[in-house]
C-alpha cells in the first residue's frame, strides 16, 4: 500500500478537536497521529450506529460529521451498522428495558441509514461493516470468555444501571451484554479511535479496556456533545418533536431551523457547519454589538445546513420562500387550494375544522384569540366571525405561522 502524505499533526489535531466534548486521551490521539504520519498509514476510526429507526436527524449528524473530518484528513472511516446490537438494544440513557426489534425491521432501517449517511460521508472512501458479520458467529464459549473479561460490579456502576437498581426498575441480562458486544466490535475492527456522543462514554471506555484484554492497543474515545433540539431545552429527538430530519424537504427544514431560540444558533454553527471557532466568535460579536440581526444570521445558518443535504440551489430557494412568506408576509406560491360550494355564511371556527386546518373548534377559537389566523393578510380577532360564502370569491387563509390555504368559493 502506498504511503499517504498527511497534514501536520498540530493542524490535524486542531481540526479534530473542533466541537469535541471530550477526548480520552488527547495525548494518545496526538501520539497515534504522529505514528500514522511517520508510517504513512491511516488511522482506523470507528463509528457505530444501531439502525433502530428509519430516519436520521441533525442530532445524529454531529458525530457522523466528525467521522467525515477524519476521512477528510485521509484516515479510514469505518462506519459500523450495529445490525446485531440493535437487536439487543443500547441501554444508554434508558430508564427501562427497550422492546426488542425484529431482524426485518433492523435490515430495513439499515438500508435507509446508509442512503442518508452517504449524504455526509464519501461512499468511495468509507468502510461499511455490519457487526452481525462476527457477532452472529460467536459460540457460547466465545461469549462466556468475553463476559469473563469484565466485572459485574463495574458494570453496575454505570449511571443508568445504577439509577434503575436504586429505583428497583428491572434490568435484563441481555442489556448487560450490550457494552461488551460493542467493545468486542472495536477488537474485531482494530479501531484506533472510536467516536460517539457523550452519553456513550461508558461504552467507549469499555472498548478501550476490552481491547487491552485481547492484547491490542487501546482506542482513543472521542465524544461529541448531544445536540439540543429546536425547543432549546431537551436533546433532539423525533419522539419529542424538536428535530430536523435530513431527508425533509428544504422548505420544511428551513422553517424548523428558523423556529429555534436565537442562542441555539451558536452550538448549531459549531456542530453542524465547518466554520472555524474564531469565525463563529466573530459572527456572534457582530450580533451582540447590533451590527447584524439574529434573524439574518439564523437564515445564513439554515441555508448552510440545508445546502449540505439538498445542494446550494435548493437552500437558496428555501431561504427566498421563507423571506417571502414569513418576513414579507406573502403566501407561498404552492399554497394548497381548497374549493367550497357557495352557500350561507359559516363560522370561521367551523370552517377551519371542516378544512382540516385545525383539529377542533375550541382549538380554533384559542388560536384566533391569540392572533394566529388571517384572511387575506388581515388578522381575525373575533372567534365568532362569520365567513361569507354566498358568492364566488377567492381568499387566502393563514392558520398559525406556517399553514396557508387558498380558498376558492364557486
Amino acid at each position: 500500500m502506498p504511503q499517504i502524505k498527511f497534514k501536520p499533526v498540530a493542524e490535524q489535531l486542531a481540526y479534530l478537536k473542533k466541537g469535541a466534548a471530550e477526548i480520552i486521551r488527547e495525548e494518545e490521539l496526538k501520539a497515534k497521529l504522529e505514528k500514522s504520519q511517520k508510517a504513512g498509514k491511516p488511522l482506523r476510526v470507528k463509528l457505530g450506529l444501531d439502525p433502530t429507526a428509519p430516519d436520521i436527524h441533525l442530532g445524529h449528524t454531529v458525530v457522523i460529521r466528525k467521522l467525515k473530518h477524519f476521512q477528510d484528513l485521509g484516515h479510514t472511516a469505518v462506519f459500523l451498522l450495529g445490525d446485531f446490537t440493535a437487536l439487543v438494544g443500547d441501554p444508554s440513557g434508558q430508564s427501562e428495558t427497550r422492546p426488542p426489534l425484529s431482524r426485518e425491521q433492523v435490515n430495513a432501517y439499515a438500508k435507509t441509514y446508509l442512503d442518508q449517511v452517504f449524504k455526509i460521508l464519501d461512499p468511495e472512501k468509507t468502510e461499511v461493516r455490519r457487526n452481525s458479520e462476527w457477532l452472529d458467529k460467536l459460540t457460547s464459549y466465545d461469549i462466556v470468555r468475553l463476559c469473563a473479561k469484565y466485572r459485574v460490579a463495574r458494570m453496575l456502576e454505570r449511571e443508568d444501571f445504577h439509577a434503575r437498581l436504586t429505583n428497583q426498575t428491572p434490568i435484563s441480562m441481555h442489556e448487560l451484554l450490550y457494552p461488551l458486544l460493542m467493545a468486542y466490535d472495536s477488537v474485531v475492527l482494530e479501531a484506533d479511535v472510536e467516536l460517539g456522543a457523550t452519553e456513550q462514554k461508558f461504552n467507549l471506555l469499555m472498548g478501550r479496556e476490552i481491547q487491552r484484554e485481547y492484547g491490542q492497543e487501546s482506542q482513543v474515545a472521542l465524544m461529541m456533545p448531544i445536540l439540543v433540539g429546536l425547543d432549546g431545552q431537551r436533546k433532539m429527538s423525533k419522539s419529542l418533536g424538536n428535530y430536523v430530519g435530513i431527508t425533509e424537504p428544504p422548505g420544511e427544514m428551513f422553517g424548523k431551523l428558523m423556529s429555534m431560540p436565537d442562542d441555539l444558533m451558536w452550538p448549531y454553527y459549531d456542530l453542524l457547519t465547518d466554520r472555524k471557532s474564531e469565525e463563529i466568535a466573530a459572527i456572534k460579536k457582530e450580533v451582540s454589538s447590533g451590527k447584524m440581526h439574529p434573524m439574518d444570521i439564523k437564515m445564513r445558518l439554515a441555508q448552510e445546513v440545508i445546502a449540505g443535504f439538498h445542494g446550494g440551489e435548493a437552500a437558496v430557494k428555501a431561504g427566498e420562500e421563507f423571506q417571502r412568506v414569513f418576513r414579507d408576509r406573502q403566501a407561498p406560491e404552492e399554497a394548497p387550494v381548497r374549493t367550497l360550494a357557495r352557500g350561507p355564511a359559516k363560522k370561521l371556527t367551523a370552517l377551519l375544522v371542516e378544512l382540516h386546518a385545525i383539529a377542533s373548534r375550541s382549538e380554533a377559537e384559542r388560536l384566533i384569540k391569540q392572533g394566529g389566523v388571517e384572511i387575506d393578510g388581515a388578522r381575525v380577532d373575533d372567534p365568532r366571525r362569520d365567513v361569507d360564502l354566498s358568492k364566488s370569491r377567492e381568499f387566502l387563509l393563514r392558520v398559525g405561522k406556517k399553514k396557508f390555504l387558498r380558498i376558492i368559493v364557486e
Side-chain angles (χ1 to χ4, degrees):
M1 179 186 285
Q3 285 196 344
I4 300 172
K5 187 171 175 59
F6 296 102
K7 289 183 177 180
V9 168
E11 192 177 328
Q12 290 191 64
L13 201 55
Y15 185 48
L16 296 172
K17 284 170 63 179
K18 179 183 179 284
E22 188 175 6
I23 301 173
I24 302 175
R25 299 187 168 90
E26 188 178 321
E27 63 269 23
E28 290 179 22
L29 177 58
K30 184 182 178 185
K32 284 178 184 284
L33 289 170
E34 287 170 346
K35 185 178 175 182
S36 159
Q37 187 181 59
K38 190 174 180 181
K41 182 183 176 184
L43 296 178
R44 291 181 58 76
V45 185
K46 167 198 172 193
L47 170 61
L49 288 182
D50 290 349
T52 54
D55 302 313
I56 288 177
H57 56 61
L58 290 180
H60 298 121
T61 68
V62 172
V63 71
I64 299 170
R65 283 176 52 79
K66 186 54 63 179
L67 183 61
K68 176 68 161 58
H69 292 168
F70 276 96
Q71 192 174 67
D72 291 342
L73 293 171
H75 299 291
T76 302
V78 183
F79 182 73
L80 176 65
L81 278 164
D83 60 339
F84 186 98
T85 42
L87 301 173
V88 178
D90 184 1
S92 297
Q94 298 302 307
S95 58
E96 56 187 28
T97 304
R98 285 178 171 177
L101 296 172
S102 69
R103 278 194 184 268
E104 291 73 26
Q105 282 175 303
V106 170
N107 288 335
Y109 294 160
K111 184 183 182 308
T112 64
Y113 262 43
L114 286 178
D115 293 342
Q116 294 169 64
V117 161
F118 288 143
K119 289 177 178 289
I120 302 169
L121 300 175
D122 182 343
E124 300 298 319
K125 297 178 181 177
T126 305
E127 182 181 319
V128 178
R129 305 291 294 273
R130 293 174 180 248
N131 58 15
S132 61
E133 292 174 38
W134 48 88
L135 295 181
D136 264 342
K137 295 171 186 171
L138 287 181
T139 65
S140 302
Y141 173 76
D142 295 328
I143 292 172
V144 170
R145 240 181 107 231
L146 176 60
C147 290
K149 296 183 183 295
Y150 208 76
R151 304 288 177 265
V152 173
R154 289 282 307 281
M155 187 76 77
L156 295 179
E157 287 171 4
R158 179 181 172 135
E159 189 176 337
D160 32 36
F161 286 156
H162 183 72
R164 282 160 70 178
L165 271 178
T166 304
N167 297 328
Q168 296 185 322
T169 304
I171 301 170
S172 294
M173 286 296 295
H174 74 281
E175 294 182 275
L176 301 178
L177 273 177
Y178 184 91
L180 279 167
L181 296 173
M182 188 172 162
Y184 188 72
D185 292 340
S186 292
V187 173
V188 174
L189 294 171
E190 299 182 328
D192 294 303
V193 180
E194 182 168 15
L195 308 178
T198 48
E199 64 184 5
Q200 292 287 325
K201 184 174 182 176
F202 185 93
N203 295 341
L204 270 59
L205 294 182
M206 186 178 283
R208 285 170 59 83
E209 193 162 333
I210 297 300
Q211 279 182 310
R212 287 195 297 270
E213 289 286 336
Y214 280 88
Q216 292 183 9
E217 185 179 286
S218 291
Q219 65 187 15
V220 169
L222 192 157
M223 286 153 281
M224 298 300 291
I226 302 290
L227 189 71
V228 175
L230 299 174
D231 56 2
Q233 297 176 345
R234 299 167 295 179
K235 79 172 188 176
M236 185 172 283
S237 164
K238 194 166 185 179
S239 61
L240 296 173
N242 62 357
Y243 73 102
V244 181
I246 68 170
T247 58
E248 290 181 305
E252 199 169 322
M253 290 180 74
F254 205 100
K256 282 187 171 185
L257 288 165
M258 293 304 294
S259 73
M260 76 169 81
D262 289 350
D263 59 359
L264 204 58
M265 288 192 292
W266 312 118
Y268 274 45
Y269 262 116
D270 193 33
L271 299 172
L272 301 176
T273 78
D274 284 331
R275 287 181 179 268
K276 294 180 178 177
S277 301
E278 50 269 29
E279 195 179 349
I280 297 168
I283 298 171
K284 192 174 182 180
K285 189 175 179 181
E286 286 193 317
V287 171
S288 301
S289 67
K291 286 184 179 178
M292 296 289 292
H293 195 284
M295 178 74 81
D296 296 320
I297 298 302
K298 203 184 290 183
M299 287 186 73
R300 192 190 300 175
L301 168 65
Q303 285 189 333
E304 285 186 36
V305 170
I306 292 164
F309 302 107
H310 295 285
E313 189 178 335
V316 169
K317 188 177 177 184
E320 290 171 348
E321 181 76 351
F322 180 88
Q323 174 80 19
R324 200 161 49 78
V325 174
F326 298 103
R327 296 189 77 175
D328 301 340
R329 310 296 286 176
Q330 296 179 41
E333 292 174 353
E334 298 168 2
V337 176
R338 299 285 186 272
T339 303
L340 298 174
R342 282 186 296 172
K346 190 171 286 189
K347 283 273 186 293
L348 178 58
T349 51
L351 184 62
L352 290 170
V353 174
E354 182 181 319
L355 293 167
H356 302 292
I358 208 152
S360 66
R361 289 195 185 194
S362 59
E363 193 177 335
E365 185 174 333
R366 185 169 60 252
L367 187 62
I368 291 169
K369 286 178 178 177
Q370 292 170 349
V373 177
E374 290 179 359
I375 294 177
D376 284 336
R379 191 167 72 182
V380 179
D381 296 312
D382 186 357
R384 295 169 298 176
R385 164 83 174 265
D386 287 325
V387 180
D388 182 12
L389 302 176
S390 63
K391 55 192 176 191
S392 297
R393 60 182 290 218
E394 181 177 331
F395 61 92
L396 183 72
L397 185 64
R398 180 180 70 83
V399 185
K401 291 182 178 179
K402 302 178 183 179
K403 189 178 290 182
F404 287 82
L405 295 172
R406 197 171 295 281
I407 310 300
I408 298 173
V409 183
E410 58 182 22

